[in-house]
Amino acid sequence: MNRIGLRTQGPSVLSRGRRSTGHAYSQRMAMSSSVASSQEPGETAAQAHRSDRSVLSKQKTKRRHLVFNNRTGPSLQHFLAQPLGDSTAHLESAAASSAEPERVPYMSVSDWGEGRKYYVEVYGCQMNVNDTEILMSVLNKAGYKRTMTLDDADVIFLMTCAIREKAEDRIWSRLSHLKSLKTKTRPDRAPMVGVLGCMAERLKEKLLESDRLVDVVCGPDAYRSLPRLLSLRAMSADGVANVMLSADETYADITPVRLDDNKISVHLSVMRGCNNMCSFCIVPFTRGTERSRDIDSIVSEVRRLSAQGVREVTLLGQNVNSYRDTSSSAVFADDGVGGGSDLSRGFSTIYKRKEGGRRFAELLHRVAQIDPEMRVRFTSPHPKDFPDELLQVIRDNPNVCRSIHLPLQSGSTSCLQRMRRGYSREAFLELVHHIRSVIPDVAFSTDVIAGFCGETEDEHRETVDMMRAVGFDTAFMFAYSMRERTHAHRKYSDDVPADAKGRRLEEIIATFHDVAREKNQRLVGMQGLVLYEGLTKKRGRPFGSDDYGHKVFLNMPPSLQLKPGEYVKVRIEAATSASLTAAVVEKTTLARYYSDNPQANICAGPIVGRAPSSLEPVVAEAAGALAV
């Protein structure tokens, strides 16, 4: 693929966030891309090596693409040769003076987006939903307008996921469908198509060269540059991509535009990226290293959400409980100790952990204090980052939901070692028992992978046994899908046959449902607190959710009028493995309900000691999740 050599001028294209001067400069310089080969302009590397007769008979010109990434920037000598001044303005001036005007085409780009309409489809995790809301804020500020109708769109965006092959297959299928929209249905005003998110970073070149299916590719850390990328694409026939990963981009200064203004539940990103480098996971390669938003911006956003009537906020991050804020807060002092930074007992990391900073326990505590009527959740954590300080915050704040996501992945120590998870089967079980000793009515959700590289029948059986031993309330279970660039792709073979993966996955799913059904059946006749969310889309049935992550269908008295965001006291009437059905007793508030019905706490004050690990099933122990 040919790449056009560029030098950037100023931070306007890629970077308007807060960065250190040195990093901002290196970002601008790294945007430069080098010519990939010595062939003539328009000639591909393959053509350069063909015989003269092949060139004459089969020569085919490929599209030239403009790609900004972290791999094709200038050399270290080029960077060191630039004059360094005392200010950001001096650096920008130096960069500008050394760039020829014709080599910086985006500097004269007109505002192509003014009044144009965009349409967004979101695939994958809640982080993609949050990214979409950031993206919409950027586009709206640039003059674009969102449309809910595909046929009205000038630009169509797909926010993509790369965590499994099936997720990517859905996007390729959707792109093929959109091609017909460009070439057959609307050839006179063909829309641009943009691929965003994790798949954009992972398959940037393939996306641009795939039969002209995609016009613009934009990675998770480059949404600020999207208006300029669209303008660049409008000026030429070339595909355009920016997939640069940032060491400090958190979009903290951007107020998201919510996909649904009427929702009472919001996901709020507090950190991005991941350092864990689990052998099966593509996330560190598509979303970069960990960086955390400053606590001031998070607290301010939660206050705004509370004032808008939001009744549930979920703190979001790829490894949310490794949050570490080292910013200079105007409100919250940093004592330099970094309380709440201890690893869970028996857990380790493959990277060197940094000390100091405000940790997740403090952030969760500060957020919980903002509004006693706003429920607070967090996802997705890593089991290694559950220090006692964090458990105390969950235990001592009634509005922090007692539902903890604890990704298992495998119940076999040997398989966990190949996965580079940093813990053993025994360490995971000890953590489960320790959390239950502090928060007796806690509910656990988890992630499980079936058929990882080299998994034996005995290792699979250990995972099935672990599902019974822990007694998870919710589980996300998948067959393993090999991802390029991961440690597993480099070191292992995807050697478990597809039929074996499928059978093992079915056994894991069946075991989960058996245990969850038994646990939920024990809740029948008990009372609980439910946040009313509205009516289901298909049947118009009233529903809500409890503190423990259960979906609860509501039987309401005809005279009772509820608005989304109100709390109700309920009595459980029926249960399945996935949901509860309850009769509404009365309206209430979160504070009043837990004042009348104090939560069960075995421990009071500082946490001392741990419960011994055990492989005994815990269905009976955890059955009273809603009991009061």
Side-chain angles (χ1 to χ4, degrees), residues 147-169:
T147 178
M148 304 300 292
T149 306
L150 182 67
D151 291 340
D152 289 342
D154 300 295
V155 188
I156 300 169
F157 294 115
L158 305 183
M159 182 65 74
T160 65
C161 173
I163 198 71
R164 279 173 290 277
E165 185 176 2
K166 186 176 180 180
E168 293 186 353
D169 289 343

Side-chain angles (χ1 to χ4, degrees), residues 409 448-452 455 460 478-481 501 504-505 508:
Q409 308 303 357
V448 183
I449 296 174
F452 182 66
E455 184 186 67
H460 163 64
F478 305 95
Y480 174 65
S481 176
K501 287 182 183 179
R504 293 175 187 179
L505 179 60
I508 291 171

Side-chain angles (χ1 to χ4, degrees), residues 11-114:
S12 59
V13 173
L14 294 179
S15 171
R16 292 194 184 97
R18 289 171 285 182
R19 290 184 171 85
S20 65
T21 299
H23 180 71
Y25 180 67
S26 62
Q27 278 279 75
R28 293 194 297 273
M29 296 304 299
M31 279 180 54
S32 301
S33 55
S34 58
V35 178
S37 63
S38 60
Q39 66 265 18
E40 294 295 322
E43 182 183 26
T44 66
Q47 290 168 348
H49 291 87
R50 289 175 180 166
S51 65
D52 291 342
R53 185 169 62 179
S54 296
V55 171
L56 291 174
S57 62
K58 299 181 180 180
Q59 186 173 11
K60 183 179 180 180
T61 303
K62 297 177 66 177
R63 280 206 297 176
R64 299 174 65 189
H65 309 302
L66 187 62
V67 178
F68 303 132
N69 59 38
N70 296 80
R71 296 183 178 183
T72 56
S75 65
L76 176 62
Q77 289 75 18
H78 189 156
F79 175 77
L80 294 176
Q82 304 305 313
L84 296 179
D86 297 328
S87 67
T88 303
H90 187 109
L91 291 172
E92 294 173 359
S93 176
S97 63
S98 59
E100 298 179 2
E102 66 270 20
R103 305 296 295 276
V104 192
Y106 50 82
M107 292 306 295
S108 59
V109 171
S110 61
D111 194 356
W112 182 80
E114 187 65 37

Side-chain angles (χ1 to χ4, degrees), residues 250-263:
T250 64
Y251 300 108
D253 58 321
I254 294 178
T255 301
V257 174
R258 302 300 173 190
L259 284 167
D260 184 354
D261 291 334
N262 297 319
K263 286 198 70 173

Side-chain angles (χ1 to χ4, degrees), residues 236-313:
S236 75
D238 298 340
V240 182
N242 182 1
V243 291
M244 295 187 70
L245 292 177
S246 169
D248 56 9
E249 178 64 271
T250 64
Y251 300 108
D253 58 321
I254 294 178
T255 301
V257 174
R258 302 300 173 190
L259 284 167
D260 184 354
D261 291 334
N262 297 319
K263 286 198 70 173
I264 57 156
S265 179
V266 166
H267 286 74
L268 190 156
S269 175
V270 301
M271 60 87 67
R272 301 175 71 86
C274 183
N275 293 344
N276 290 316
M277 300 297 290
C278 300
S279 61
F280 55 81
C281 188
I282 192 67
V283 167
F285 302 95
T286 59
R287 288 191 172 269
T289 56
E290 293 175 6
R291 61 272 190 199
S292 300
R293 279 181 63 176
D294 62 281
I295 192 170
D296 290 354
S297 71
I298 297 169
V299 169
S300 295
E301 185 169 350
V302 174
R303 284 179 178 144
R304 286 197 302 271
L305 294 172
S306 174
Q308 294 167 7
V310 171
R311 280 292 162 259
E312 182 178 270
V313 61

Side-chain angles (χ1 to χ4, degrees), residues 353-521:
R353 288 169 57 82
K354 296 179 180 179
E355 301 300 324
R358 301 171 196 84
R359 298 290 178 159
F360 187 67
E362 178 177 354
L363 173 65
L364 186 62
H365 172 71
R366 299 294 184 184
V367 169
Q369 303 307 303
I370 293 172
D371 184 349
E373 292 299 315
M374 175 186 281
R375 290 200 309 200
V376 183
R377 302 184 187 272
F378 59 91
T379 196
S380 177
H382 191 286
K384 75 179 191 309
D385 293 309
F386 276 95
D388 288 346
E389 291 88 343
L390 177 55
L391 300 182
Q392 290 179 40
V393 172
I394 300 171
R395 180 197 66 188
D396 296 340
N397 290 275
N399 61 332
V400 177
C401 294
R402 296 190 168 199
S403 174
I404 292 178
H405 190 63
L406 211 60
L408 171 64
Q409 308 303 357
S410 172
S412 165
T413 296
S414 54
C415 192
L416 289 168
Q417 289 174 343
R418 293 197 301 278
M419 290 179 168
R420 302 208 297 186
R421 290 291 290 170
Y423 54 87
S424 65
R425 172 189 179 90
E426 292 72 23
F428 189 93
L429 281 167
E430 181 183 0
L431 176 62
V432 167
H433 282 284
H434 179 54
I435 294 175
R436 281 197 169 117
S437 74
V438 179
I439 312 168
D441 57 345
V442 68
F444 288 119
S445 57
T446 196
D447 301 326
V448 183
I449 296 174
F452 182 66
C453 304
E455 184 186 67
T456 65
E457 285 297 330
D458 287 342
E459 290 174 330
H460 163 64
R461 186 55 49 197
E462 287 185 284
T463 299
V464 173
D465 292 343
M466 191 74 141
M467 299 293 287
R468 294 194 184 96
V470 176
F472 295 105
D473 297 79
T474 307
F476 304 90
M477 300 156 284
F478 305 95
Y480 174 65
S481 176
M482 177 75 82
R483 302 283 79 196
E484 294 180 4
R485 295 168 60 186
T486 61
H487 178 82
H489 183 260
R490 297 192 303 269
K491 298 295 184 180
Y492 301 132
S493 173
D494 188 7
D495 53 2
V496 179
D499 58 344
K501 287 182 183 179
R503 172 181 55 79
R504 293 175 187 179
L505 179 60
E506 289 177 1
E507 291 178 7
I508 291 171
I509 292 174
T511 301
F512 161 73
H513 282 295
D514 288 344
V515 174
R517 186 180 302 108
E518 181 180 350
K519 290 184 66 175
N520 289 349
Q521 287 291 342

